[in-house]
Amino acid sequence: GAVVSQHPSWVICKSGTSVKIECRSLDFQATTMFWYRQFPKQSLMLMATSNEGSKATYEQGVEKDKFLINHASLTLSTLTVTSAHPEDSSFYICSASSVDRGSVNEQFFGPGTRLTVL
Amino acid sequence: AQTVTQSQPEMSVQEAETVTLSCTYDTSENNYYLFWYKQPPSRQMILVIRQEAYKQQNATENRFSVNFQKAAKSFSLKISDSQLGDTAMYFCAFGANQGAQKLVFGQGTRLTINP
């Protein structure tokens, strides 16, 4: 139980284009979803927190107009990287939590999406 | 703001040995949760073990156990009878018991189990 999927797992795009990454909780309803960015050999950096039907809360330094997050349902959140540039190349990970699953604060992670911007 | 520090960037042990990964944190909260996550080469984050701060008893999950010292704000992970499949990045994480339910991660420790 508590499975989170991400799609796509790997995407290559041209500079200036937009890319959408989907995060789905497959067997539970996610009260909250989180988006992280991870550079090689580094820790996870929280980008934003989103609750279903509400605007996402972005961490300091994260451009909300560049990283658009939509949490339209209790099982789906999307991250759109707009006008992507090579410096946006990274590994993006989503996670989900639920008041009905796991302990407080426990997050269930997706497998990640590798974004390469040429 | 909470901070989590893992002071060992890399560790390496032989298979079947016991290894301890260190983690310290700083918080003014009294109720919180602590986690150890494993990230193998596949990069899928996997929960290893969790500890509720109000519990004095150290959490144990098979070969994995923690030494939780609340007063010292220390939360180390002990892996007994280490296996090749334990090779991974290990992240210590802190979660407050209220608010946005965010996790604060440490820098990670790269653990290599050698045959």
Side-chain angles (χ1 to χ4, degrees), chain B:
Chain B
Q2 292 87 5
T3 59
V4 178
T5 302
Q6 293 177 249
S7 58
Q8 305 151 312
E10 294 187 20
M11 295 190 73
S12 177
V13 297
Q14 296 297 119
E15 192 176 7
E17 291 184 345
T18 294
V19 59
T20 299
L21 308 183
S22 301
C23 173
T24 58
Y25 58 95
D26 189 24
T27 184
S28 58
E29 302 281 343
N30 191 47
N31 294 321
Y32 51 86
Y33 290 74
L34 295 163
F35 304 86
W36 278 98
Y37 281 92
K38 166 185 178 181
Q39 188 180 41
S42 68
R43 303 190 78 170
Q44 170 73 59
M45 294 286 284
I46 301 167
L47 177 65
V48 175
I49 199 166
R50 62 171 171 258
Q51 174 82 40
E52 293 90 336
Y54 66 87
K55 289 188 177 179
Q56 292 185 337
Q57 186 172 8
N58 289 324
T60 299
E61 288 287 343
N62 300 314
R63 297 183 295 107
F64 299 88
S65 61
V66 299
N67 183 2
F68 174 47
Q69 301 290 327
K70 191 173 184 180
K73 296 179 181 173
S74 171
F75 183 61
S76 61
L77 174 69
K78 185 172 83 172
I79 305 174
S80 303
D81 186 27
S82 57
Q83 301 174 359
L84 297 179
D86 295 333
T87 293
M89 281 288 288
Y90 286 81
F91 293 100
C92 177
F94 172 99
N97 198 25
Q98 56 187 353
Q101 308 293 307
K102 297 190 292 187
L103 291 178
V104 178
F105 286 89
Q107 306 93 320
T109 296
R110 181 174 300 279
L111 175 64
T112 302
I113 309 299
N114 298 305

Side-chain angles (χ1 to χ4, degrees), chain A residues 7 9 13 21 64 95 107-108:
Chain A
H7 177 79
S9 57
C13 70
I21 302 170
K64 61 181 65 177
S95 70
Q107 295 181 17
F108 304 98

Side-chain angles (χ1 to χ4, degrees), chain A residues 34-82:
Chain A
F34 304 83
W35 286 95
Y36 296 86
R37 186 173 180 176
Q38 186 180 32
F39 291 105
K41 299 186 179 181
Q42 293 190 21
S43 187
L44 281 69
M45 182 191 78
L46 180 65
M47 299 174 66
T49 302
S50 73
N51 294 292
E52 183 260 343
S54 303
K55 288 185 177 180
T57 300
Y58 290 81
E59 294 299 300
Q60 191 173 8
V62 177
E63 300 175 61
K64 61 181 65 177
D65 293 331
K66 179 164 191 62
F67 299 100
L68 301 178
I69 292 172
N70 183 274
H71 193 162
S73 75
L74 284 172
T75 59
L76 174 64
S77 177
T78 60
L79 167 68
T80 301
V81 182
T82 62

Side-chain angles (χ1 to χ4, degrees), chain A residues 3-29:
Chain A
V3 179
V4 176
S5 70
Q6 272 184 250
H7 177 79
S9 57
W10 196 354
V11 57
I12 302 173
C13 70
K14 293 183 178 180
S15 185
T17 61
S18 295
V19 175
K20 180 183 285 187
I21 302 170
E22 291 187 349
C23 176
R24 295 182 184 272
S25 56
L26 298 184
D27 56 354
F28 68 103
Q29 293 186 323

